[in-house]
Amino acid sequence: MMPLRRPPFATDPNEPLRQGPYQSPLRDERVAALLGVALGLLFGICFATGLYSHIQQHPLRWLPVPAAPAGLYRITQGVHVAAGTASLPVLLAKLWVVWPRFVAWPPVKSLAHLVERVGLLPLVGGGVFMIFSGVANIAQWYPWRFAFPAAHYWVAWVTMGALLAHVGAKWAIARRALAMRSRRPPLAEADPALGTSAEGRLALLAPRDPDVGPQGRPVNRSAANAGVIESARSPDYRLRVDGQVAHPLALTVDELEAMAVNHSTLPIACVEGWSYSATWRGVRLVDLLRLAGARPGASVRVESLEADSPYRASFIDSGQAHSGNTLLATHLDRQRLDLDHGYPLRLIGPDRPGVNQTKWVTRVVVL
Ligand SMILES: Nc1nc2c(c(=O)[nH]1)N[C@H]1C(S)=C(S)[C@@H](COP(=O)(O)O)O[C@H]1N2
Ligand SMILES: [Mo]
C-alpha cells in the first residue's frame, strides 16, 4: 500500500502550534486557551439566555415565567444577541490560532485522537451554524428552508454537548497554558457586557435602529405584510373575549377607546436584540377578564386578525395575565397606535419576547 503522503502545510500534532509555515507568535497554546475560555463563556451566556427565550415561546405548564421585572426579557435577549454576535470574531480567531492542528499529519494518531477529532465536527460545525443562523436571523435573511427557531434551538443542544466534551478533553492542557506567563501581552478579549442605553432604546450589535419606523419605532411585520389593513379598519371589527368565561364580550373600537384609561411603561424586546421602552395606554387584560367573569388565575390565548403566521397568537400564563401591567393597548406614547404597530389593539405585557406581544388583537380566549 502507498504510504499516506504528507500535504505541503501539514504539521505534526505532537509539535507546538507555531511551526513550519505557521510562524505567527499569536499561535500559541495560551492564546488558544484564552480564546477558548472567552468562547466558552459567550456560548454559555447564549445558551442560558436562549433557553429562557425558548421557554417564553414554548411555555411549560409547571414552569411559570415571571411577570416582574418587566424588563427581564429585554435584558436576557439583548445579552443573547450581543454575546452571540461578539462570539463571531472570537470563533474566527480561535479557528485561526488552532488551524495547524486541523491540518496536522498524520490526521489520526490513536483512537483517543480519532474520538477527539470526530467531536470537533459538532463543535465547530455547531458553533459556526449557531452564529451564522443567529446573525442571518437578526438581519432577517433566510437563505435556508428550515424553521430558524427550531434549528437554532436543537443545534444549540448539540453544540453545548460537544463543547462540554471538548472542555473535558482540554481542561488539563488549557489550565497549564493559562498558568504559564505569556511572553507577549495577552490578546484583547471579547467583552460581552451590555452597551449603553440611549433614552430607553437599545440595540447593541443588533442591526435594526430602534428609532426608525412609524411613530419613531421599528416594525418587523407591517399591516400590509400581515394582510390586515382592511380588517383592522373595518367597522365590523370587534374584540371578543370568550372561552372559559361567564359572559362573553364583543367590544367595538369606540368602546375599547373609552375603556382605555390605564398606563404602563413597558419595553418591546424583539428576539433580534433590539428593544425600546414606551408608555402604553390601554385596557388592562385583568379588567377584561373580570368583566367577562373568567376564573381568577386563568391563563389566556390572544389572537390576531392576521390569518396564517406563527405569530398570529400568543399565550399568557396566569401570572402575566393578572399583572396589572398587561394591557391591550390603544395608544403608544400618547398617540393612537399606528396600523403597523397593531391598530386597533395590541397586546403589551411585562417580561415577554417581542414575538409574544401580539398586534391587531381581535380575540382573547380564556383557557
Ligand atoms: N400579529 C402579529 N403580531 C406581532 C408580530 C407579527 O408578525 N404578527 N410580530 C411580533 C414581533 S417579532 C415583534 S418584535 C413585535 C414588534 O412590534 P412593533 O412592530 O410594534 O415594533 O410585534 C410582535 N407582534
Ligand atoms: Mo420580534
Side-chain angles (χ1 to χ4, degrees):
M1 212 175 90
M2 277 249 297
L4 284 173
R5 196 128 28 94
R6 183 185 171 111
F9 291 114
T11 69
D12 184 326
N14 293 319
E15 290 167 25
L17 278 168
R18 190 187 317 155
Q19 55 165 310
Y22 307 105
Q23 280 297 347
S24 166
L26 285 174
R27 280 199 164 106
D28 76 17
E29 299 289 358
R30 187 180 152 81
V31 174
L34 280 172
L35 289 169
V37 169
L39 212 48
L41 285 175
L42 289 171
F43 275 25
I45 291 167
C46 284
F47 189 63
T49 49
L51 276 187
Y52 188 60
S53 188
H54 183 83
I55 289 166
Q56 285 265 17
Q57 294 174 66
H58 301 86
L60 300 168
R61 290 221 165 278
W62 48 269
L63 190 63
V65 286
L72 178 60
Y73 184 83
R74 184 186 197 185
I75 293 169
T76 63
Q77 195 62 15
V79 167
H80 181 81
V81 170
T85 308
S87 62
L88 173 59
V90 184
L91 177 64
L92 292 177
K94 167 91 179 173
L95 289 175
W96 179 82
V97 168
V98 300
W99 186 250
R101 289 269 184 274
F102 286 98
V103 294
W105 204 258
V108 172
K109 301 180 298 176
S110 63
L111 187 62
H113 187 222
L114 174 70
V115 171
E116 190 200 308
R117 293 207 71 154
V118 168
L120 287 178
L121 207 74
L123 181 62
V124 178
V128 168
F129 176 85
M130 293 308 292
I131 297 176
F132 175 75
S133 59
V135 169
N137 182 57
I138 62 178
Q140 297 183 355
W141 176 48
Y142 300 102
W144 51 63
R145 301 183 141 267
F146 51 79
F148 164 77
H152 199 69
Y153 174 70
W154 287 109
V155 176
W157 282 99
V158 173
T159 311
M160 289 313 282
L163 181 64
L164 276 183
H166 185 72
V167 168
K170 297 289 185 182
W171 185 257
I173 299 178
R175 271 193 53 172
R176 214 181 317 125
L178 289 174
M180 268 180 347
R181 272 178 52 90
S182 175
R183 276 156 295 186
R184 331 189 88 242
L187 272 190
E189 275 172 80
D191 183 0
L194 259 180
T196 50
S197 151
E199 293 165 40
R201 300 178 284 269
L202 246 167
L204 178 70
L205 303 180
R208 213 148 341 286
D209 183 337
D211 281 343
V212 175
Q215 301 181 307
R217 305 301 192 177
V219 163
N220 263 351
R221 193 163 180 79
S222 65
N225 286 338
V228 298
I229 292 185
E230 271 180 36
S231 51
R233 289 184 176 147
S234 162
D236 297 336
Y237 169 90
R238 295 288 181 279
L239 171 72
R240 292 178 201 287
V241 181
D242 54 20
Q244 306 291 312
V245 296
H247 336 282
L249 308 175
L251 302 164
T252 65
V253 172
D254 286 347
E255 289 169 327
L256 289 164
E257 285 176 358
M259 292 167 76
V261 295
N262 290 100
H263 291 83
S264 294
T265 299
L266 288 174
I268 285 203
C270 181
V271 296
E272 295 163 5
W274 56 264
S275 60
Y276 66 80
S277 180
T279 299
W280 308 86
R281 189 175 118 198
V283 191
R284 285 168 21 161
L285 178 59
V286 63
D287 291 341
L288 283 174
L289 295 179
R290 217 172 284 141
L291 208 59
R295 170 180 65 83
S299 54
V300 164
R301 187 175 71 246
V302 171
E303 294 181 359
S304 171
L305 292 168
E306 196 180 355
D308 30 45
S309 148
Y311 310 138
R312 63 168 306 278
S314 69
F315 172 81
I316 314 190
D317 76 7
S318 170
Q320 289 190 345
H322 290 77
S323 154
N325 260 333
T326 300
L327 298 182
L328 288 167
T330 54
H331 287 70
L332 158 56
D333 285 337
R334 297 158 172 271
Q335 291 169 2
R336 191 65 179 94
L337 274 181
D338 188 277
L339 204 51
D340 284 339
H341 286 303
Y343 177 92
L345 201 64
R346 85 166 301 157
L347 175 65
I348 183 80
D351 183 32
R352 291 170 71 72
V355 294
N356 289 357
Q357 310 279 31
T358 308
K359 303 195 277 191
W360 314 293
V361 169
T362 189
R363 190 170 172 217
V364 169
V365 185
V366 179
L367 306 171

